[in-house]
Amino acid sequence: MNSSFVRHARAAALSAFFLSLAGPAAAQADYSTGATAERPGRITGRIVDAKTGAGVSDAVIRIDGLTIGAKSVIGGRFTLSSVPAGTVTLVVRHIGYAPKQITGVAVNPGEVIEQDVSLEAATVKLTTTVVTASAERGTVNDALDHQRTATAIVNSVTSEQITRSGDGDAAQAVKRVSGVTLQDGKYVFVRGLGERYTTASLNGARIPSPEPEKKVVPLDLFPSGLLESITTTKTFTPDQPGDFSGAQVNVRTREFPGRGMVTWSTGVGYNSAATGKDVIAAPRSGAEWLGFAGNARSLPSDVRSAGDFGSLSPQATNAAAHSFRNAWTPRAQSGDANYSTSVSLGGRTGALGPSIGYLFSGSYGYSQEVRASEIHATAVPDGKGGTIGYNEFKGSSANNAVLWGGLLNLSALFGGNTRLVLNNNFNRSADNEAHQSTGTLDDYGFESVRSSLGFIERTVRSNQIRLERTFGHSQQVELALTSSGVTRREPDHSELQYVREPDPITGAPMPLALFSYNPDGARRIFSDLSETGLASSVDYRIAFGQPGREYQLKVGGSFRGTDRSADNSSYSLLGYRLTRAQREASAEEIFDGRYAMPGSSMFNVLLNSTGGSYKALDRIGATYGMIDAPIGTRLRVIAGARLERAQLQVKSIATSGERSHSALDDTDVLPSLVANLAVGESQSIRISASQTLSRPEYRELSPVTYRDVIEQRDIFGNPDLKRALIRNFDARWEWFPNSGEIVAFGVFAKRFTNPIERVDVATSGASRLGFINADGADNYGMEMEVRKHLGDVTEVLAPITLFTNATVMKSSIDITSDKLSSLTNRKRAMVGQAPYVVNAGMTWSSASARTAATLLYNVVGRRITAAGSSPLPDTYEMARSGVDVSLQTPLFSGISARLDAKNLLDSPFEVRQGTVTREMYRTGRVFSFGLKWQQ
């Protein structure tokens, strides 16, 4: 049966399954909210402080002229039930705030209306403010805007913006934020700093990383359909983790809605470089369409028990060589289409006593990815101060990627002052990769064909319970406990090399490529990583003083424990006894068992040195205190400090059996001072200074050598690394002229002590990558952000909004001590730092805001990926631009359509070292069409 047909049938089955869930759930959601024509309506929402955006509890809200009323509870939430259909007026009062009336609130029979209300601090004359419902929604949008009301400097991307941009995952969405760039399409860089300086959290709790070389989280694991917002915080305050250095990215999953809802969407996509074209592919095994590798990929038991093969007979070793899965060579196929489907359902009910909100969401996506016109090479000195290419290979790669996930969020409200939240999230991704290239092995002077196959599966799980309790209007306690876990498994990665050797008599190249019997001829690699984490925190806040100008004292503590284990085993299969005729056969014929007969000893197995294992135990405890104090009517000062103790141990075992132990034990006091000055009603100036830190990543402390299978380079850690200290300074002016508009300009500077750098170490053969502590570094720059509706220019342009953000930055690193004597450039930019980042775009919305089109542009300047060692220069990733377009419009009966076009420029990804192109490829233009149904 056609494999493409089977895959599309699976997608259709998934869509049908999600719809079968949505049907009864929709009925339940409607029942819980009373969405029938015979029932009255309901009004829900939040009452917030207009200046801070904080929820105001114990406010009285009622419907003018009726006896229907309620009090706001924790977080400022309220619900008015049994509201008669029609247009009503809301009246809101709270001691210390000016009363407010909201007119023109339209309630349809049986429907739920969401209406938030902002309250201004009371003046001497308590005059009631009267606004319309539509005007109040605009005001509250400003009041709730995280960027305007936050203590620190933040940027947020909301679910509405994510939907309009057509971004498929959290990584693609966050790159729209000012100063944010992506490495490999998933690792976040902020303000040009490497990924080590950015932390990621899910609903406020640290996300563990599924990558063996990094603690940073690949944000492409989180489908955009599960997201409520992504907030990037660039200013440290003591209630945040101390390894906040460049920024903290908080991914917040969707919360329960104010009314019953069901949403289902599906889409198909086309990649101009892959779909319907001849591409290479890796053989499949098991339920890979769900991200699970088949058992056939597992490390054979007799190989695992053989150790270094020193005690096995030649015949037993030969048999072990044939026990590996017999899959070596990529096959040709027609490129698949992309497709995705998702379903969400939620609502709230009081049937069990307390008010309970719920949201379930699930998504599945499959994509065909390629790296076309791919180039890989090594740079070597040319003897004249420059570089020349070495072992240059050209070819292509392909990847069949699967990403699915789900969340179940529950929230219960007890008595108006206690809220219990349970957030559960699970994501799984898998990449079935194939690579093939042809080039010249300069050491031997003849051509070679390289192939590799790999399957990588990742899971991320997070379970969080959070308790919020208020005591009157002035005190609040929040407790949180989070259990998390990740796994990363790369079973049975294969590397194969065929060579075109010269004729031993004539010296001319042979017409057929031959299986290479050196250690690179046939290699199998098995990698496993697992990590578990447990985090707890308690935060207490007390407010005192006049409402709207309150002093707030916040204290708390946290603990996070992480246990990680990683193992990597690499085997070379050597066929020295094969004849030239036998070496002409395909790898699948050579290893099909014909040379595994009893008594045969054609092959040997070598356990490579580029392997080993490590275990990491990470324990971090912290306590903090901070005060938010208004000085006069326009100035807020937030000051405090965090005391953090970190203990980290990494125990490593090399393939040779050599053991090593690395440890860090640091106690740090991290102060912070932030001043926010209001300039008029819509402008503010923020100034901050703080000290933070950055710790080595686990793998960087392990001296065990591991192999980059794409670049064919070895990477090793440094057990002597120390944590880096960073002093941070920020100043920013912000102006919010109208609802949804911003003009902002800021400057920033950072001073690093002992920053950790990735360096390219020259050796007698191919270069290796290592890590060192530099003496110091400086990073500084400017940011600009503008978002403006064009209706002020002319009414004709009212549907159009222009937006742009740009960051220009520079860094300089000092390596004056003799830490690595061969470093070429001791005064250079930091690894990973780009000199500029620009995002720009335009959105058009219809009068009803139901039809919208968005044009997006992004460009990132060239940045160092590894520092060079003499006589080689630094390695750079070159500048790259991107253009995306998205259009969405309603059709009928709650169904809407969207059309997305991504990567329209198809700019090449390119890495250079001197004049040598180390790596280059294109990924193709991606077009997709989708339908969404919402009830």
Side-chain angles (χ1 to χ4, degrees):
M1 183 177 293
N2 183 275
S3 60
S4 179
F5 173 79
V6 172
R7 288 190 294 275
H8 287 81
R10 286 170 177 165
L14 279 172
S15 299
F17 171 70
F18 283 150
L19 279 177
S20 69
L21 289 177
Q28 181 180 354
D30 284 340
Y31 178 78
S32 66
T33 57
T36 65
E38 290 77 19
R39 292 191 174 190
R42 190 169 65 181
I43 302 175
T44 68
R46 292 182 69 212
I47 300 174
V48 299
D49 186 296
K51 284 191 174 181
T52 67
V56 177
S57 58
D58 294 324
V60 177
I61 183 168
R62 63 179 180 84
I63 297 178
D64 192 30
L66 300 176
T67 59
I68 300 173
K71 268 191 173 185
S72 61
V73 296
I74 185 170
R77 295 173 177 83
F78 73 88
T79 299
L80 296 173
S81 303
S82 302
V83 181
T87 301
V88 300
T89 297
L90 303 181
V91 180
V92 185
R93 287 187 172 87
H94 190 283
I95 296 175
Y97 291 93
K100 176 171 272 190
Q101 285 187 7
I102 301 95
T103 64
V105 181
V107 181
N108 295 323
E111 289 192 358
V112 178
I113 302 299
E114 295 188 30
Q115 178 69 60
D116 296 330
V117 181
S118 65
L119 295 181
E120 299 279 353
T123 57
V124 176
K125 186 177 180 180
L126 298 179
T127 305
T128 300
T129 303
V130 180
V131 297
T132 64
S134 58
E136 180 64 7
R137 290 190 184 100
T139 303
V140 174
N141 284 339
D142 273 354
L144 292 176
D145 183 87
H146 200 182
Q147 186 166 334
R148 188 180 71 87
T149 60
T151 298
I153 296 175
V154 303
N155 296 97
S156 292
V157 179
T158 65
S159 57
E160 179 184 6
Q161 292 169 302
I162 294 171
T163 299
R164 289 191 175 185
S165 65
D167 295 322
D169 54 57
Q172 297 300 315
V174 77
K175 75 177 183 181
R176 312 296 180 190
V177 172
S178 175
V180 171
T181 60
L182 289 182
Q183 178 77 19
D184 298 332
K186 53 189 174 183
Y187 302 118
V188 175
F189 286 35
V190 179
R191 289 176 168 174
L193 299 173
E195 74 268 12
R196 75 171 64 252
Y197 299 109
T198 301
T199 62
S201 59
L202 179 67
N203 297 316
R206 182 66 59 89
I207 308 172
S209 172
E211 301 297 339
E213 298 87 8
K214 304 176 175 69
K215 284 191 296 185
V216 69
V217 178
L219 291 183
D220 62 340
L221 282 172
F222 299 95
S224 60
L226 306 184
L227 306 180
E228 179 67 28
S229 66
I230 305 174
T231 300
T232 303
T233 306
K234 300 176 181 177
T235 303
F236 171 73
T237 52
D239 54 348
Q240 297 171 324
D243 55 355
F244 179 116
S245 305
Q248 175 173 289
V249 178
N250 184 39
V251 178
R252 187 158 66 92
T253 55
R254 299 176 61 184
E255 293 185 347
F256 65 90
R259 55 187 175 87
M261 54 81 70
V262 177
T263 302
W264 173 77
S265 63
T266 188
V268 295
Y270 166 86
N271 187 320
S272 63
T275 308
K277 293 182 169 57
D278 291 334
V279 298
I280 61 173
R284 292 181 169 89
S285 173
E288 294 180 0
W289 68 283
L290 283 175
F292 293 93
N295 292 331
R297 292 183 180 273
S298 300
L299 178 64
S301 58
D302 54 347
V303 175
R304 184 185 299 276
S305 60
D308 61 0
F309 295 88
S311 60
L312 294 187
S313 67
Q315 291 74 23
T317 300
N318 189 79
H322 288 276
S323 65
F324 293 99
R325 175 173 172 251
N326 191 24
W328 296 92
T329 311
R331 56 186 175 83
Q333 73 168 35
S334 178
D336 293 330
N338 304 334
Y339 53 82
S340 63
T341 186
S342 67
V343 64
S344 298
L345 55 98
R348 64 174 64 195
T349 177
L352 300 180
S355 176
I356 297 178
Y358 58 90
L359 177 70
F360 164 78
S361 185
S363 66
Y364 174 89
Y366 171 90
S367 61
Q368 172 76 73
E369 302 168 355
V370 295
R371 292 184 174 184
S373 304
E374 194 170 18
I375 296 174
H376 286 281
T378 301
V380 296
D382 63 1
K384 303 176 183 179
T387 56
I388 57 174
Y390 183 79
N391 289 354
E392 180 175 320
F393 281 75
K394 297 181 180 181
S396 64
S397 298
N399 175 36
N400 297 316
V402 170
L403 172 62
W404 60 271
L407 65 84
L408 176 62
N409 290 350
L410 302 172
S411 179
L413 192 62
F414 301 90
N417 58 1
T418 302
R419 184 177 183 230
L420 184 65
V421 179
L422 181 63
N423 293 323
N424 302 280
N425 184 268
F426 180 87
N427 290 293
R428 187 175 189 92
S429 70
D431 297 293
N432 196 13
E433 303 171 336
H435 170 80
Q436 193 165 59
S437 59
T438 302
T440 301
L441 292 174
D442 290 314
D443 284 337
Y444 305 100
F446 45 73
E447 293 182 0
S448 173
V449 179
R450 287 176 175 173
S451 303
S452 66
L453 304 174
F455 185 86
I456 304 174
E457 56 183 44
R458 305 177 183 88
T459 63
V460 175
R461 168 195 60 83
S462 177
N463 306 99
Q464 180 189 71
I465 185 169
R466 191 171 71 247
L467 177 66
E468 302 171 10
R469 168 82 179 185
T470 60
F471 302 89
H473 175 64
S474 61
Q475 299 182 67
Q476 179 173 325
V477 174
E478 183 173 330
L479 306 173
L481 180 65
T482 304
S483 171
S484 59
V486 300
T487 62
R488 181 189 188 273
R489 188 167 172 256
E490 186 174 7
D492 198 25
H493 177 98
S494 70
E495 297 179 22
L496 181 69
Q497 181 175 276
Y498 270 62
V499 293
R500 197 182 299 273
E501 297 176 354
D503 187 282
I505 299 176
T506 65
M510 296 293 288
L512 297 177
L514 309 175
F515 171 68
S516 175
Y517 42 57
N518 65 39
D520 293 328
R523 192 190 301 261
R524 301 305 273 255
I525 302 171
F526 298 82
S527 302
D528 285 283
L529 177 147
S530 64
E531 178 178 309
T532 58
L534 188 65
S536 61
S537 65
V538 56
D539 300 280
Y540 170 75
R541 177 185 63 84
I542 182 170
F544 48 92
Q546 180 181 350
R549 283 167 41 193
E550 296 174 321
Y551 291 81
Q552 294 190 29
L553 175 66
K554 188 176 181 181
V555 296
S558 64
F559 173 81
R560 185 173 81 246
T562 303
D563 293 349
R564 168 182 281 202
S565 63
D567 181 78
N568 180 277
S569 301
S570 175
Y571 303 90
S572 289
L573 281 62
L574 308 177
Y576 293 121
R577 294 182 177 88
L578 290 173
T579 66
R580 179 178 290 272
Q582 290 168 337
R583 292 169 57 203
E584 292 178 355
S586 69
E588 283 75 13
E589 292 175 314
I590 293 174
F591 293 101
D592 66 0
R594 66 185 66 187
Y595 304 124
M597 300 300 179
S600 176
S601 57
M602 191 74 73
F603 289 95
N604 193 12
V605 180
L606 173 66
L607 182 61
N608 295 311
S609 60
T610 54
S613 64
Y614 74 88
K615 294 183 181 293
L617 281 75
D618 195 0
R619 304 290 184 265
I620 300 176
T623 183
Y624 73 90
M626 56 187 290
I627 187 168
D628 183 343
I631 300 177
T633 59
R634 295 189 177 275
L635 179 64
R636 290 173 62 201
V637 175
I638 303 94
R642 184 180 185 89
L643 177 65
E644 196 162 275
R645 171 80 181 276
Q647 295 176 300
L648 171 61
Q649 296 186 49
V650 179
K651 297 180 180 180
S652 307
I653 304 176
T655 300
S656 62
E658 181 181 355
R659 297 174 181 266
S660 62
H661 178 241
S662 307
L664 294 177
D665 191 341
D666 298 303
T667 300
D668 296 283
V669 177
L670 306 172
S672 171
L673 177 65
V674 180
N676 291 335
L677 176 65
V679 183
E681 295 300 320
S682 59
Q683 299 181 53
S684 63
I685 296 175
R686 305 177 188 268
I687 300 175
S688 69
S690 64
Q691 178 162 297
T692 57
L693 53 82
S694 173
R695 300 184 181 93
E697 297 167 358
Y698 304 142
R699 177 76 91 172
E700 293 172 351
L701 286 168
S702 172
V704 169
T705 300
Y706 59 98
R707 189 170 180 83
D708 186 312
V709 297
I710 298 298
E711 294 189 48
Q712 299 289 308
R713 287 200 294 175
D714 294 339
I715 304 174
F716 61 96
N718 179 1
D720 296 324
L721 290 176
K722 299 181 290 187
R723 59 101 171 86
L725 293 175
I726 305 107
R727 283 174 285 172
N728 312 278
F729 305 94
D730 281 271
R732 182 178 173 95
W733 166 77
E734 295 177 340
W735 176 34
F736 297 85
N738 297 296
S739 174
E741 296 183 345
I742 182 175
V743 179
F745 177 81
V747 295
F748 61 88
K750 297 179 183 291
R751 174 60 185 170
F752 295 79
T753 302
N754 296 322
I756 301 168
E757 289 284 283
R758 172 171 157 158
V759 296
D760 201 336
V761 183
T763 62
S764 56
S767 62
R768 305 169 72 204
L769 288 175
F771 304 91
I772 64 168
N773 282 112
D775 296 288
D778 295 297
N779 173 266
Y780 49 91
M782 299 181 296
E783 292 180 320
M784 178 272 292
E785 183 177 4
V786 177
R787 184 179 184 88
K788 179 65 178 173
H789 305 311
L790 297 186
D792 293 342
V793 179
T794 172
E795 187 65 27
V796 177
L797 300 178
I800 298 177
T801 300
L802 295 181
F803 50 90
T804 184
N805 61 70
T807 304
V808 179
M809 50 223 154
K810 186 175 183 180
S811 65
S812 176
I813 193 163
D814 296 328
I815 307 177
T816 56
S817 61
D818 192 23
K819 294 182 177 177
L820 194 60
S821 59
S822 61
L823 280 178
T824 303
N825 192 351
R826 297 181 179 274
K827 297 276 187 181
R828 54 167 173 78
M830 298 177 69
V831 171
Q833 186 262 317
Y836 61 88
V837 180
V838 178
N839 294 296
M842 176 179 68
T843 295
W844 173 87
S845 297
S846 64
S848 64
R850 299 177 64 192
T851 299
T854 302
L855 172 67
L856 299 166
Y857 171 78
N858 167 267
V859 61
V860 181
R862 78 165 192 165
R863 51 190 170 184
I864 296 178
T865 59
S869 56
S870 184
L872 293 175
D874 300 329
T875 302
Y876 285 89
E877 179 182 331
M878 307 307 291
R880 189 167 184 257
S881 300
V883 172
D884 303 331
V885 177
S886 181
L887 171 66
Q888 55 184 349
T889 186
L891 298 178
F892 55 87
S893 301
I895 298 176
S896 60
R898 65 174 303 120
L899 181 64
D900 298 316
K902 312 281 287 186
N903 194 34
L904 289 177
L905 299 181
D906 196 18
S907 299
F909 172 89
E910 184 175 5
V911 175
R912 287 185 191 170
Q913 188 171 19
T915 58
V916 175
T917 297
R918 293 285 305 269
E919 183 179 5
M920 186 171 70
Y921 59 82
R922 295 179 184 271
T923 58
R925 301 171 177 86
V926 179
F927 303 89
S928 60
F929 173 77
L931 295 174
K932 179 179 179 180
W933 172 73
Q934 183 167 343
Q935 181 174 327

